[in-house]
Amino acid sequence: MLKLENISLKVGEFELKNISFEVERCDYFVILGLSGVGKSLLLESIAGLINPTSGKIFLRGEEITSKKIQQRRVSIVYQDADLFPHLTVFENIAYPLKCNGEKNIEEKVLSCAEMVGAVEFLQRKPGTLSGGEYQRVSLARSLAADNDIFLLDEPLASLDSKSKSELRMLLRKLNRNGITIIHVTHDYEEAISLATKIGVMEKGALVHIAPPEEVFRHPKSEFVAHFIGTKNFFKGNLKTIPQSDLKEFAAAGINIFCLTDVEDGEVFLTLQPEEISISTETEKGSSRNHFKGKIIDIAPAKVGFEITVSIGAELIALVSGDSKGELKLEIGKEVWVNFKASSCKIYK
Amino acid sequence: MISSFKNISWMRLTFTFLGGIVLLFILAPIAGMYLNTSIGSITNAIGDEEVRDSVWLSLWTSMAGTILFSFFAIPLAYILARKNFPLKSLVNGIIDLPIIIPHSAAGIAVLGILTRDSWFGRSAEVFGVKFIGNPAGIIMAMAFVSIPFLINAARDGFAAVPERLEKVALTLGASPIRVFFTISLPLAWRSVLSGFILMWARGLSEFGAVIIVAYNPKTAPVLIFERFTSYGLKYSLPVAALFVAVCLAIFIVLRLIKKKS
């Protein structure tokens, strides 16, 4: 349905670097990433509002990279402020119908408004609508345009939780009815609840494209790792140690011993805070990893305390209140962090 | 807290006083003009055909100039609001030129291109259009000095329309020209109308450029000047009072229409 090949572009501080992905008909593709990573830019380049400096875009089997916006048949819905404020809801929904020279405009407007539950406010102006109503009208207008692909730019970001859940149901319904959706968001819960496929975006690049369960089971970005509660996440290189069943993981600032059967090369390492112990002296035991560092933060957790220790990189350990008191842990104190090679979870 | 409150009160008082002086400066001469003019002399002025003709000439030529040049000024304002191009600031500067040059000099400049000796003047005559001593010349002189008001107001209005709305309209299948007429222009309408009123009002009151291009037929400002230099203040006052009253009435009506829209 939609295919992007090595799309790159730069607008001000925002940049897209070699973006490639493919979306099938009726896919619900969520692009997940922090604010400012270029998600909206990506949508606007698909819609034709911004031209990429390199790369190609194919839609419905045809190259549309330099096709006019009005001929692409792609609808874009923003977080807010995209309804025409001088027109009523009815006129907003009728707008694309008039542009396409449709007959039976009233009937079609009613049908689109019914589909999204916007019939009761057809005569109101956009300025009088609530956030949820506003987005419903915006979706109805996109339906009226008879486009089978919707680009949604954080459409739920400014809604309360009730409206969010109602809108999610509506988006799922539209998707089931044959609309292909590309939805950008920074909200991972939104992504889980809607996506059939997720693309994680970081610094203008798509770093991981996979089904939701895969993205969250094996995060390949600090952003996703953070969302699913993985406190210690590193990207680095894994190397076999000769005459040893251990391997060495090297990332910026640290070298960690791991017990894994993953092949050498670029990998991701996660380490649960509860697997890390803190001591004031070197521990002698089965742990293979011992690092001396300085405590830079102490924060209460749901249970116990999270102690952030700088060892070149930052590691977060979970300790009990008793241990914290006994070891007299405080910011600035030098301590040892220890963990077993088998505690490190490694994946490609 | 109390002292800062006192400071604000003093500041407000001072500013109100200074602002009041400005209002007085504007209103006093106009009020003085009406106080020194009897109703009878205004009635006589209304009955004077030459006065009526001059007021009517001023009204329709300034309106004609505004309507005619808005077809060129509004597209230019849109381009200036939406597009970036080399020497854009130079173009913006050129648009403001008629505001800063003396209007008699503006009249000389306009006369230069409208005279029969110029290519433009000769070409226009081929089509039967005469500028010198003709309402067409008055329209050109009025438009020259007043067009910056329309362009600047419309440009600011278009710039205030979120570009996103225009882009969304394009994704809904509208052509760029349809987007302009259904989204950009309606949303910038108040500013465009403001510019329209300002251009019309400025053209209506123009004297310096008009008198050089076309002393005859006489517009109201030229007639007021002629009555003043030939017969003195007493004979020019009723004409001035009548003209100002007509201008004010139309100006107020247009402002009300704008407010309602």
Side-chain angles (χ1 to χ4, degrees):
Chain A
M1 173 96 190
L2 175 74
K3 189 177 170 190
L4 270 72
E5 279 182 5
N6 300 314
I7 292 296
S8 296
L9 68 95
K10 193 165 191 229
V11 177
E13 293 172 5
F14 300 105
E15 195 176 7
L16 296 182
K17 298 171 200 159
N18 285 319
I19 302 273
S20 297
F21 66 83
E22 204 165 337
V23 175
E24 299 299 333
R25 185 172 290 280
C26 297
D27 264 358
Y28 200 121
F29 183 44
V30 172
I31 298 169
L32 184 64
L34 290 169
S35 301
V37 296
K39 303 187 300 290
S40 302
L41 208 60
L42 180 56
L43 286 195
E44 293 195 336
S45 69
I46 297 169
L49 309 180
I50 300 167
N51 290 322
T53 46
S54 65
K56 287 179 179 173
I57 303 172
F58 297 88
L59 184 63
R60 304 176 195 98
E62 179 198 357
E63 195 193 333
I64 57 154
T65 319
S66 48
K67 204 170 184 178
K68 285 181 178 172
I69 301 168
Q70 59 270 33
Q71 291 168 354
R72 294 191 181 208
R73 294 191 51 237
V74 167
S75 289
I76 190 160
V77 172
Y78 289 97
Q79 179 182 337
D80 52 20
D82 63 355
L83 292 179
F84 307 132
H86 58 302
L87 303 180
T88 62
V89 167
F90 182 96
E91 290 164 336
N92 262 282
I93 301 173
Y95 190 85
L97 297 169
K98 285 180 184 168
C99 292
N100 297 330
E102 296 270 355
K103 289 168 186 166
N104 304 325
I105 286 180
E106 193 167 344
E107 195 183 305
K108 285 177 180 166
V109 169
L110 275 173
S111 149
C112 294
E114 261 171 30
M115 176 82 130
V116 302
V119 177
E120 61 269 36
F121 34 87
L122 280 174
Q123 295 313 318
R124 282 163 60 188
K125 285 277 181 81
T128 67
L129 302 175
S130 70
E133 290 169 343
Y134 196 97
Q135 292 304 64
R136 280 171 193 276
V137 176
S138 206
L139 289 167
R141 191 178 59 179
S142 297
L143 282 173
D146 201 24
N147 295 335
D148 53 358
I149 182 158
F150 286 10
L151 308 176
L152 313 181
D153 189 357
E154 307 247 13
L156 313 179
S158 54
L159 303 184
D160 57 56
S161 58
K162 184 172 175 282
S163 305
K164 254 185 197 174
S165 122
E166 287 169 358
L167 254 292
R168 278 180 197 167
M169 275 173 63
L170 174 60
L171 289 173
R172 277 193 288 265
K173 180 177 149 192
L174 294 176
N175 185 228
R176 277 198 303 274
N177 287 351
I179 304 288
T180 307
I181 296 178
I182 301 177
H183 175 145
V184 305
T185 181
H186 62 268
D187 185 338
Y188 86 107
E189 279 179 15
E190 205 168 294
I192 294 169
S193 80
L194 292 167
T196 54
K197 192 158 74 175
I198 290 178
V200 180
M201 204 163 175
E202 262 187 2
K203 294 174 189 161
L206 273 176
V207 294
H208 193 187
I209 302 173
E213 54 277 16
E214 168 65 19
V215 166
F216 292 106
R217 191 182 303 134
H218 293 128
K220 290 188 178 175
S221 71
E222 200 171 347
F223 167 64
V224 176
H226 172 76
F227 269 131
I228 58 171
T230 304
K231 303 285 184 184
N232 301 306
F233 174 88
F234 302 99
K235 184 180 176 185
N237 268 297
L238 190 69
K239 205 168 69 180
T240 302
I241 302 172
Q243 282 98 45
S244 169
D245 57 352
L246 293 175
K247 293 197 175 193
E248 188 181 15
F249 172 87
I254 47 166
N255 289 62
I256 296 171
F257 292 115
C258 315
L259 188 61
T260 177
D261 59 357
V262 173
E263 282 181 18
D264 289 5
E266 196 173 79
V267 294
F268 299 96
L269 180 151
T270 61
L271 183 59
Q272 294 304 322
E274 53 270 29
E275 303 278 2
I276 303 172
S277 71
I278 289 185
S279 58
T280 48
E281 288 170 14
T282 328
E283 264 185 6
K284 285 190 178 161
S286 63
S287 290
R288 299 296 303 154
N289 293 294
H290 308 278
F291 297 96
K292 195 175 186 186
K294 199 181 263 186
I295 297 177
I296 57 168
D297 193 28
I298 299 176
K302 221 180 254 178
V303 284
F305 288 85
E306 282 180 356
I307 313 291
T308 308
V309 184
S310 173
I311 57 164
E314 286 176 15
L315 269 184
I316 297 174
L318 184 68
V319 300
S320 66
D322 287 355
S323 300
K324 179 178 166 275
E326 210 169 285
L327 295 170
K328 294 181 181 143
L329 299 180
E330 57 188 19
I331 291 172
K333 183 168 181 163
E334 287 209 332
V335 290
W336 285 86
V337 291
N338 317 284
F339 52 93
K340 294 170 75 171
S342 58
S343 302
C344 301
K345 191 177 159 196
I346 302 281
Y347 55 90
K348 285 270 184 187
Chain B
M1 183 74 188
I2 290 169
S3 78
S4 72
F5 190 72
K6 272 184 181 171
N7 285 341
I8 289 169
S9 296
W10 270 110
M11 192 186 84
R12 280 192 184 161
L13 213 65
T14 312
F15 279 25
T16 307
F17 175 71
L18 294 171
I21 288 178
V22 174
L23 285 178
L24 201 64
F25 176 69
I26 296 168
L27 287 174
I30 297 170
M33 185 173 70
Y34 285 103
L35 290 171
N36 290 319
T37 313
S38 67
I39 293 172
S41 62
I42 292 180
T43 315
N44 287 341
I46 294 169
D48 185 337
E49 194 181 351
E50 192 182 20
V51 173
R52 283 204 310 272
D53 286 350
S54 71
V55 171
W56 173 238
L57 179 67
S58 295
L59 289 173
W60 82 257
T61 48
S62 56
M63 188 52 80
T66 305
I67 292 170
L68 178 68
F69 279 88
S70 65
F71 288 102
F72 307 94
I74 293 172
L76 175 61
Y78 184 73
I79 288 172
L80 289 171
R82 279 288 175 262
K83 307 288 175 197
N84 285 317
F85 51 86
L87 304 178
K88 185 177 172 180
S89 45
L90 178 68
V91 173
N92 278 320
I94 290 170
I95 287 162
D96 286 337
L97 266 181
I99 296 175
I100 55 158
I101 59 177
H103 287 185
S104 50
I108 298 288
V110 173
L111 185 66
I113 60 155
L114 299 183
T115 175
R116 286 188 195 98
D117 299 332
S118 75
W119 171 86
F120 183 74
R122 273 199 308 275
S123 307
E125 268 203 16
V126 171
F127 295 99
V129 180
K130 288 181 183 171
F131 290 109
I132 309 304
N134 202 288
I138 296 172
I139 289 171
M140 296 295 273
M142 285 176 168
F144 183 83
V145 296
S146 60
I147 201 163
F149 294 96
L150 175 56
I151 297 173
N152 289 336
R155 182 192 56 209
D156 294 347
F158 287 125
V161 175
E163 213 172 340
R164 174 187 283 185
L165 294 177
E166 294 174 349
K167 288 178 171 178
V168 166
L170 287 171
T171 67
L172 295 170
S175 62
I177 195 74
R178 190 182 190 109
V179 173
F180 177 77
F181 281 110
T182 57
I183 307 298
S184 321
L185 192 57
L187 288 173
W189 180 241
R190 286 173 72 94
S191 300
V192 174
L193 188 60
S194 272
F196 199 86
I197 294 170
L198 281 172
M199 181 177 173
W200 170 76
R202 184 64 199 83
L204 190 64
S205 60
E206 180 52 26
F207 169 72
V210 169
I211 199 170
I212 286 172
V213 176
Y215 190 86
N216 281 303
K218 290 185 188 68
T219 60
V222 174
L223 184 70
I224 292 166
F225 173 73
E226 191 201 55
R227 293 269 168 111
F228 176 68
T229 50
S230 306
Y231 307 109
L233 186 62
K234 192 182 167 191
Y235 290 91
S236 61
L237 261 179
V239 188
L242 178 67
F243 185 54
V244 169
V246 171
C247 291
L248 276 177
I250 296 173
F251 190 65
I252 288 166
V253 168
L254 285 175
R255 296 284 290 199
L256 287 174
I257 291 170
K258 185 190 155 216
K259 203 174 174 185
K260 208 175 173 188
S261 74

